[in-house]
Amino acid sequence: MAESDTIDMVSDGNVLTLTLNRPDKLNSFNDEMHVAFRAALERARDDSDVRAVLITGAGRGFCAGQDLDSLNSGGNSAPVDLGATIETFYNPALRLIRSLEKPVVCAVNGVAAGAGANIALACDIVLAARSAKFVQAFSMIGLIPDAGGSWNLPRMLGEPRAKALAMLAEPIDGQTAADWGMIWKAFDDAELMEQANKLARRLAGGPTKGLGLTKRAIQAAATNSLDTQLDLERDLQREAGYTADYSEGVAAFLGKRKPEFRGQ
Ligand code: T3D
């Protein structure tokens, strides 16, 4: 497939930066952008040189969710099967982000609405500009939270806040999102991208295999019993213990030097 301008993809060292790039539409998803986003995530998964992913948005917004003008949406009068959009585009993208055994950083540079908010919240470490807004915009147009929102929000916030955000569609800013534990940190707007790039570079220099296994373990905890989780920790630690990065980490500690992880 030809590369699309709707996702700007830049590889720098071991960081792959994906910038959602339809700024005139607040980077909302049309079909072309959906296809390009999925292809970019598949590249992140398949390219062993990629050891961390950074997702952000071009212009003043992060992502306004589904492009409501697109043919595929509810803009025409005929009823459309929105479940098909979810099945074809959002669910595969969400599954790719969650199953990617490499850290995915998200820098929410501006408004993140609807599926745009929930894609951001599905990432592993989320930073936001203090002025950014998270809006569960779905109820404004009669829809339900998708892109993993109905799963993620109650786990992050508990039912009371999850239901209020989803039913009221009130925006919350980046600082509040950090204070509520929805994201890792908020930064002054001018500082956000520098901090996000620094974090992505740091993660890309980390023990990639171990970080991927850490992601798998923490995500599995959402549905596992303690017993099952303890068994999983045993199995994944066994796997981590056979990595070259573990040997390097221990050697570096004992040698009182910084480790040089290769992601293997
Ligand atoms: O297939 C399916 O539909 C199922 C899947 C659904 C998943 C979803 O994501 S549903 C939720 C869809 N998103 C929304 O409902 C959000 C709609 N947008 C807004 O509510 C507001 O734009 C924002 C709160 C995000 C930002 O407000 P504001 O005042 O900062 O900006 P604005 O002036 O509203 O928008 C700027 C431009 O972007 C404007 O275009 P214009 O007038 O300058 O030509 C606006 O129309 C456009 N835009 C913003 N969001 C969308 C959009 N165009 C198309 N689709 C959008 N979602």
Side-chain angles (χ1 to χ4, degrees):
M1 189 205 75
E3 281 194 11
S4 159
D5 291 344
T6 58
I7 299 291
D8 181 49
M9 194 161 33
V10 174
S11 193
D12 183 8
N14 297 111
V15 176
L16 183 68
T17 300
L18 308 181
T19 304
L20 311 179
N21 190 31
R22 298 181 71 232
D24 293 348
K25 298 284 183 186
L26 295 180
N27 305 319
S28 55
F29 276 91
N30 61 5
D31 284 6
E32 183 184 339
M33 193 164 110
H34 276 299
V35 171
F37 188 53
R38 180 171 177 168
L41 292 171
E42 285 170 346
R43 174 179 163 191
R45 178 194 62 196
D46 297 340
D47 183 345
S48 59
D49 285 340
V50 176
R51 291 171 59 193
V53 179
L54 171 60
I55 301 177
T56 191
R60 74 174 176 89
F62 172 71
C63 174
Q66 181 66 21
D67 183 333
L68 299 176
D69 277 340
S70 66
L71 285 177
N72 196 13
S73 237
N76 54 16
S77 51
V80 287
D81 175 6
L82 299 188
T85 319
I86 303 298
E87 183 65 21
T88 309
F89 296 127
Y90 287 109
N91 286 355
L94 259 287
R95 289 186 175 114
L96 277 163
I97 291 170
R98 298 283 294 180
S99 64
L100 188 66
E101 294 218 335
K102 303 172 184 183
V104 182
V105 176
C106 187
V108 181
N109 52 301
V111 67
N118 292 336
I119 286 170
L121 296 175
C123 296
D124 300 318
I125 302 188
V126 185
L127 311 180
R130 281 190 222 289
S131 75
K133 297 275 186 286
F134 293 83
V135 197
Q136 294 296 319
F138 308 91
S139 63
M140 296 194 295
I141 54 171
L143 297 185
I144 70 147
D146 60 21
S150 67
W151 189 89
N152 233 342
L153 290 168
R155 282 173 171 76
M156 285 174 165
L157 299 172
E159 279 195 24
R161 280 178 167 163
K163 284 178 180 164
L165 285 183
M167 290 184 181
L168 303 175
E170 285 183 10
I172 62 164
D173 63 26
Q175 187 58 58
T176 306
D179 294 345
W180 285 10
M182 288 167 72
I183 66 166
W184 174 231
K185 281 181 186 173
F187 291 97
D188 289 342
D189 294 16
E191 244 193 280
L192 174 70
M193 288 318 295
E194 188 191 330
Q195 292 290 343
N197 283 314
K198 199 165 124 189
L199 179 65
R201 279 196 300 272
R202 174 177 157 192
L203 288 163
T208 312
K209 186 80 185 161
L211 296 178
L213 296 174
T214 299
K215 175 169 174 171
R216 202 194 307 172
I218 289 177
Q219 290 180 178
T223 47
N224 276 348
S225 67
L226 175 60
D227 272 344
T228 307
Q229 190 71 12
L230 290 175
D231 288 348
L232 181 67
E233 286 180 1
R234 174 201 60 211
D235 295 344
L236 298 186
Q237 198 69 299
R238 179 174 291 133
E239 220 179 301
Y242 288 128
T243 62
D245 283 341
Y246 168 63
S247 304
E248 166 61 7
V250 174
F253 175 77
L254 296 176
K256 299 192 186 305
R257 61 174 174 81
K258 277 185 74 174
E260 283 183 41
F261 294 121
R262 297 187 187 286
Q264 288 153 6

